[in-house]
Amino acid sequence: MKWWQKATVYQIYPRSFQDSNGDGIGDINGIIQRLDYLQDLGIELIWLTPMYVSPGRDNGYDIADYYQIDPIFGDLADFERLLKEAHQRGIKIMMDMVVNHTSDQHRWFQESLKGKDNPYHDYYLWRDPVDGHEPNNWLSKFSGSAWEYVPALNQYYLHLYEKRMPDLNWRNPQLREEIYQMMQFWADLGIDGLRLDVINNISKDKDFPNDTFETPSDDGRNFYTNGPHVHEYIHEMYERVFGPNNFVTVGELSSTPVSEAIRYTNPEREELSMAFTFHHVKVDYTGGKKWTLGQYRLSDLKRILSQWQTEMAAGGGWNALFWSNHDQPRSISRFLDDGQYRDQSAKLLALVEFGLQGTPYIYQGEEIAMKNANFTSIDQYQDAESINAYHQMLADGISEDLVIKILQQKSRENCRIPMQWDMTTNHGFTTGTPWLQPVVADDYSVATKAQAPDSVFAFYQQLVALRKTEPVLIEGQYQLLAPEDEAVYTYQRQLGDKKVRVIANFTDQTQQRANAAVKAVMMSNYPDQQLTTDQITLRPYEAVMLEIE
């Protein structure tokens, strides 16, 4: 068993975590100030979203210099101090790495613009026009064509994301060599692993065929997601960097089936440690479309989670477990109730996540039940994806009122409002003006909510500790019970003679269900349980973890 299979990961979005100098943007010294808090929570690994030099078109995922920390966050000396301080507390650091694309401000791309004979031109995916227009019909994830025309070269470059984020050409061995050298630079500084952004998109079909648009997923991704050489490239990364440096790695694998995720994460293949997949957080996409007012069925959510539980285990793969991250809305607002039953909802989601097989991730603020931003005007958004979607929805004839409601439900900006530390101005995040301003006054903060013995924070502490001492939660076989139940999610883990059952009521109504003979209540989000030998009564959003006969 690997150490990271029992560990809990805490994701920090640095610009929104803690500001130490009053400029309104979170920074490295702010993170250092809060390491004791994370140690108290029981965290063993921190995932930091990108802090490299960047023009900020995609909040740091558009990297202009892989070797330098952006001055808004600090400098390399600050980062080395963060590594030292974290390691002294038994906390490892995993950096976010984007190697599918760079910023158009990166030196490589600036060189590539100088001409087709420039050696850096082949670092990117340039193509000549086809019949006077784009080389194919692929769409950008940020709306519109995935191609941008450069008149001076009479060529288009591919950008699967924002147009100022050109895709790299992984077929070029010199490019790959530069990337491995860069990763080794950070390994030499002392980082413990990498989270690899959109890593399953790095290998494109060399013929760049058109897609069909028969479904929302037929937008080009059939020819670049899990592409022809992606496993070969990642294995090469493992041989050059991950293996020699004993890295923990997690791949962001959107639109990836279980069969592929197993290939990425089965240790015998020497690729990645674990897989971030997103099928369960697309459960409220209406007809596969993100930008809709979506509803979800619990049976669909259970089916998706259960498929990944059983098939990944059978194939030797490993899941990264999460409800929220910097690209998703807050899970309590999305799946349950962030009002009357806010604490119960937060604890329910934590209990369901930590009972599953995989490595659990806590996104900053989840441990104090932070909720969606609920912005009421497009002017409050800074996220390029959300702003582009706003204009596209208006162009599609959707009313502005409905567009705002959709953004309130689906925008990733919901998770990016600053961390709520206390009840002073700006929740103790900054003495200045926050880069992203929360709208609704909220009495939830670390200072007001983390100290009580029955707090959401204390509940997470207990779950983090429990996973370190209960092998059944790491290695136990998973079984879904009552798959068609639309109100209650019940599953079981078993290792040898030990059986653990998780029962969670996803509704605001009291539910009664048959129950097995209970040996012990391991965890519960209510202070008491209404159990008999053959029945359990579940109050609104009640969740229990039971050891059963």
Side-chain angles (χ1 to χ4, degrees), residues 248-502:
V248 55
T249 54
V250 56
E252 183 188 27
L253 306 176
S254 185
S255 304
T256 293
V258 186
S259 57
E260 280 291 324
I262 290 168
R263 294 180 71 196
Y264 284 111
T265 61
N266 184 312
E268 293 176 5
R269 292 179 54 83
E270 298 185 328
E271 294 186 27
L272 303 171
S273 307
M274 58 187 117
F276 266 125
T277 60
F278 299 88
H279 297 71
H280 68 295
V281 289
K282 295 180 179 179
V283 71
D284 58 356
Y285 285 17
T286 307
K289 293 183 178 179
K290 174 176 179 174
W291 299 109
T292 56
L293 268 189
Q295 301 293 321
Y296 78 98
R297 290 164 58 93
L298 182 61
S299 57
D300 290 336
L301 182 63
K302 294 191 292 189
R303 173 180 48 78
I304 294 165
L305 289 172
S306 299
Q307 180 191 12
W308 284 86
Q309 285 291 294
T310 54
E311 294 186 23
M312 285 286 271
W318 194 256
N319 290 295
L321 306 168
F322 73 98
W323 288 114
S324 297
N325 62 34
H326 66 289
D327 278 337
Q328 301 292 333
R330 290 279 179 188
S331 52
I332 55 168
S333 303
R334 182 177 199 171
F335 294 114
L336 296 176
D337 176 46
D338 63 9
Q340 179 182 354
Y341 295 105
R342 184 169 174 179
D343 284 17
Q344 292 90 339
S345 294
K347 291 176 181 179
L348 180 153
L349 289 170
L351 189 61
V352 169
E353 176 186 346
F354 276 71
L356 296 172
Q357 185 177 53
T359 298
Y361 285 64
I362 301 171
Y363 178 73
Q364 62 184 49
E366 264 184 314
E367 75 281 10
I368 56 163
M370 281 181 65
K371 62 182 181 179
N372 275 354
N374 285 314
F375 290 150
T376 55
S377 163
I378 193 62
D379 298 335
Q380 293 163 301
Y381 288 86
Q382 297 195 27
D383 171 41
E385 183 196 41
S386 299
I387 294 167
N388 288 352
Y390 168 86
H391 292 296
Q392 186 64 54
M393 285 188 279
L394 290 181
D396 291 343
I398 301 173
S399 71
E400 180 163 32
D401 183 54
L402 181 54
V403 169
I404 292 297
K405 284 190 173 72
I406 292 169
L407 287 171
Q408 285 175 342
Q409 185 190 63
K410 293 286 178 61
S411 170
R412 58 191 189 174
E413 209 87 290
N414 282 303
C415 255
R416 297 181 177 184
I417 59 173
M419 180 71 181
Q420 295 169 190
W421 293 106
D422 58 38
M423 296 309 295
T424 61
T425 305
N426 301 319
H427 280 300
F429 163 69
T430 181
T431 56
T433 302
W435 74 275
L436 185 66
Q437 188 70 47
V439 176
V440 183
D442 189 4
D443 63 354
Y444 273 63
S445 72
V446 171
T448 57
K449 295 295 181 182
Q451 303 311 316
D454 64 342
S455 69
V456 174
F457 180 89
F459 197 77
Y460 269 102
Q461 275 182 316
Q462 293 162 35
L463 285 169
V464 170
L466 188 67
R467 287 189 84 262
K468 295 174 184 175
T469 59
E470 287 288 355
V472 65
L473 298 180
I474 314 301
E475 301 175 271
Q477 189 173 15
Y478 172 95
Q479 180 187 5
L480 174 64
L481 304 175
E484 301 307 319
D485 191 330
E486 294 292 356
V488 178
Y489 184 5
T490 307
Y491 67 82
Q492 202 158 288
R493 303 288 304 280
Q494 181 170 356
L495 184 64
D497 295 333
K498 181 141 189 175
K499 292 181 183 176
V500 172
R501 185 173 290 184
V502 172

Side-chain angles (χ1 to χ4, degrees), residues 2-8 45 247-248 273-274 318 359:
K2 301 284 191 180
W3 67 267
W4 42 262
Q5 293 178 307
K6 293 195 291 184
T8 299
L45 178 62
F247 268 11
V248 55
S273 307
M274 58 187 117
W318 194 256
T359 298

Side-chain angles (χ1 to χ4, degrees), residues 128-135 149 154 156:
D128 293 333
V130 174
D131 299 328
H133 56 73
E134 294 87 352
Y149 184 61
N154 188 31
Y156 291 86

Side-chain angles (χ1 to χ4, degrees), residues 126-155:
W126 291 94
R127 289 296 178 273
D128 293 333
V130 174
D131 299 328
H133 56 73
E134 294 87 352
N136 67 25
N137 64 0
W138 296 0
L139 294 181
S140 161
K141 305 282 188 186
F142 282 36
S143 307
S145 171
W147 297 94
E148 182 71 8
Y149 184 61
V150 177
L153 295 172
N154 188 31
Q155 278 193 313

